[in-house]
Amino acid sequence: MRAFALRFFVLPLVLVALGACEPPKHQEAQEHAAAGAGLSDRAAQVAAERKLSPDDVVAALQTFMPSGRHDDYIMFASGGHSGQVFVIGLPSMRLLRSIGVFTPEPWQGWGYGSEETMKILETGSGGRKGLSWGDTHHPALSETGGAYDGQFLFINDKAQSRVAVIDLRDFETKQILKNPISTSDHGGTMVTPDTDYVIEGGQYAQPLGGVYADIKEWKEKYRGEVTFWKFDRSKGRIDPSVSFAMELPPYDQDLCDAGKKESDGWVFCNSFNTEQATGGVEEGNPPLESGASQRDMDYLHVIDLRKAAEVAKAGNTVKINGFPVIALKTAIAEKLLYFIPEPKSPHGVDVAPRGDYMVVSGKLDPQVTVYSFKKMQDAIAAGKYKPDEYGVPVLDFDAVKEAQVEVGLGPLHTQFDNNGYAYTSLFLDSAVARWKMGPPYHPDGWKLDSKISVHYNVGHITVAGGDTVEPYGKYLVALDKWSVDRFFPPGPLLPQNLQLVDISDPARPMQLLYDMPIGNGEPHYAQIVKADKLKPFKVYPEVGWDPGTMAPDPNAPVAGKERVVRNGQDVEVFMTAVRSHFTPEHVRIHKGDRVVWHITNLERAQDATHGFAVPQYNINLSLEPGETDTFRFTADKDGVFTWYCSEFCSALHLEMAGYLMVNPENAKGDEGQPSKVPTEKGEPNKKHEKEVRADGVHAN
Ligand code: RUQ
Ligand code: CUA
């Protein structure tokens, strides 16, 4: 390793001081060393004091960000059980944001009063009260032509079978959809190359539609499924009215991936329990995990999505909970679904950048299996298949297999770089294998190149752009489920570990650069996009902006027209916020009043966010510059509630407060308000009550 570090010409003085090398050989190196001479003594001293190896020093130099310098890459990582999405800069591995998605998040005012967010969370719960967590697995950036376009992000919740849409103009969740037919998902979210569809594959087979059937009726009544959500890019929402699902046999489906380029229009999903084991040791059955690992082969599901969409559009579906589902027998009759044997409890299926190969890893098989899309098509055309027990045509393994590469123990997930290499995580080995792709990527491929240890129990890995048609390469992040000895143990529950690995030059060994502990498990998958692909708002484009409609709110409170309007027991407050003042500062209401309260943040300066916290009413808003937000409550507790700005926005931030006085006596009509704040009588303004359909799509 030292020889490699030595080639790094910015370091010679450091390395000399470390006693690690001969003097720099090249003139160029000497000039660079001279440029850094002022710091080198001290740097060498620090390196020695901190017992840093030459590799450590290189890693530090590759990841350190001087204050104010921005990261080149942005990683969107699943927040696991937090139900959020983490936004992390690379190469520094600094956490930039946790986007509230399935779980309330108070700092962002996500689910703490803000009407928009409450409605998204409520409709996204599919009518179940009190669902306040999500198990996020797979973030998926929107794509155009198979490459990340930086516009939207999707993510699934395995626990409740849900899919969310995040708009990357403001990094806020805009929609959550409860899957109408399944109770758990896993093969989502993955997008088709132009984001026409967001794929959400199921996980554990169950009676579709959430109905009851005893597990003894498995073969008759339990089913798998995959849902194809149609994305309407112009609206920035999934449109459930043109989405559909496909019924699958009750083989627990696992991950999916969308075809691209030559395989565009096809979808590939794994399964891992073609044994149809159900567990039930207490009833004399084998335990689920061993029952599900009996067969040598499970099935890769190969789905003709384009044709399936036509079948769904023609109405050749059954309705389950009102949602169109292509029945299994229709899928077979219409030639929409094929199976391919895949070895031993597969987990990941990943489509190569040109769309020509599908790489599958069997957790209990030390090799990855590479299938050729062309061979699949040939086998389908030649009619070379036999039906499985549900009548699904099974293609011949040897006819469609391109290669198998022995990579190590417990292979899970594969990603690709820009040099024709593939990377596979090895859960049991706690390592990442780099292997060379075969033709047309490399004439002499399909072989293992090298491995790097990771710490520990790696699940997914992600390469920058590594699941697109044009991987950027350069960095790989291993998402490790265990960290064991890597960090100070904050009790018996340890952080998980995101490890940054340099893969920029296939001629150099992969090099570990950084360990990022993350105290919110389990990170599952992540995607890395170039930062310059993202064009987030600096402030909302206009004052009075409604992030729900991504347009100005016609009823937004306006400076100079702040007021409190009462109509019987209905009170509507129009408030503005600006450093360091809320207008009005006093609001007098009565117990039992129904209150609708709007606030506009008038600020135009970047980062001039105000909060709005009301004690006892569980309200905390985050009002970003220009934003208008609305909350509602019934005044069921009387007393005086000092609201305050919950962002330290200015020197007089603590003075940015006001008083909500809730009189215990019921309202008798118009109540006195401070004279500067006109009080009107009249109809409460209904227009702002944005209609939200049950599926979370705005009707207006
Ligand atoms: S996975 S267990 Cu993506 Cu490996 Cu969810
Ligand atoms: Cu506004 Cu603190």
Side-chain angles (χ1 to χ4, degrees), residues 44 85 168 360:
V85 168
L168 294 178
V360 167

Side-chain angles (χ1 to χ4, degrees), residues 137-138 186 255 347 412-413 459-460 481 522 524-525:
H137 276 235
H138 308 112
H186 190 258
L255 277 152
H347 189 45
L412 296 185
H413 300 284
H460 281 271
K481 293 166 193 300
E522 160 185 0
H524 290 287
Y525 187 44

Side-chain angles (χ1 to χ4, degrees), residues 51-231:
K51 299 189 172 66
L52 301 181
S53 73
D55 279 349
D56 295 337
V57 176
V58 176
L61 290 177
Q62 280 184 267
T63 54
F64 175 71
M65 281 289 170
S67 182
R69 193 174 300 175
H70 293 191
D71 285 296
D72 302 324
Y73 294 84
I74 300 298
M75 177 162 75
F76 293 90
S78 148
H81 303 179
S82 73
Q84 301 172 357
V85 168
F86 300 140
V87 184
I88 296 164
L90 264 64
S92 72
M93 302 299 276
R94 294 177 295 190
L95 177 64
L96 304 173
R97 181 153 179 190
S98 308
I99 304 172
V101 186
F102 298 108
T103 305
E105 202 292 310
W107 178 54
Q108 295 161 65
W110 182 251
Y112 288 92
S114 160
E115 179 175 58
E116 178 75 22
T117 72
M118 304 294 281
K119 273 190 179 152
I120 292 171
L121 286 166
E122 199 182 302
T123 57
S125 295
R128 282 294 290 166
K129 287 250 176 292
L131 288 188
S132 62
W133 80 290
D135 181 9
T136 58
H137 276 235
H138 308 112
L141 285 155
S142 59
E143 297 178 7
T144 299
Y148 301 146
D149 56 39
Q151 293 185 353
F152 296 95
L153 184 80
F154 308 91
I155 188 151
N156 72 311
D157 163 24
K158 166 168 164 159
Q160 339 284 355
S161 200
R162 296 187 286 180
V163 164
V165 182
I166 296 163
D167 190 324
L168 294 178
R169 283 174 292 178
D170 62 357
F171 284 53
E172 291 197 354
T173 304
K174 303 298 176 183
Q175 185 182 27
I176 298 176
L177 288 167
K178 168 76 189 84
N179 191 298
I181 66 166
S182 83
T183 44
S184 68
D185 73 23
H186 190 258
T189 50
M190 285 82 200
V191 300
T192 54
D194 286 310
T195 321
D196 296 324
Y197 285 96
V198 179
I199 301 163
E200 186 198 14
Q203 177 104 84
Y204 303 114
Q206 281 205 280
L208 296 184
V211 297
Y212 168 81
D214 193 273
I215 201 152
K216 292 197 179 98
E217 298 181 279
W218 176 275
K219 290 202 178 182
E220 305 76 51
K221 301 215 171 140
Y222 283 49
R223 286 294 176 268
E225 63 82 34
V226 53
T227 300
F228 301 105
W229 293 109
K230 186 88 177 74
F231 184 59

Side-chain angles (χ1 to χ4, degrees), residues 609-611 645-650 653 656:
T609 295
H610 299 287
C645 171
S646 53
E647 282 279 322
F648 208 114
C649 54
S650 57
H653 152 79
M656 192 169 173

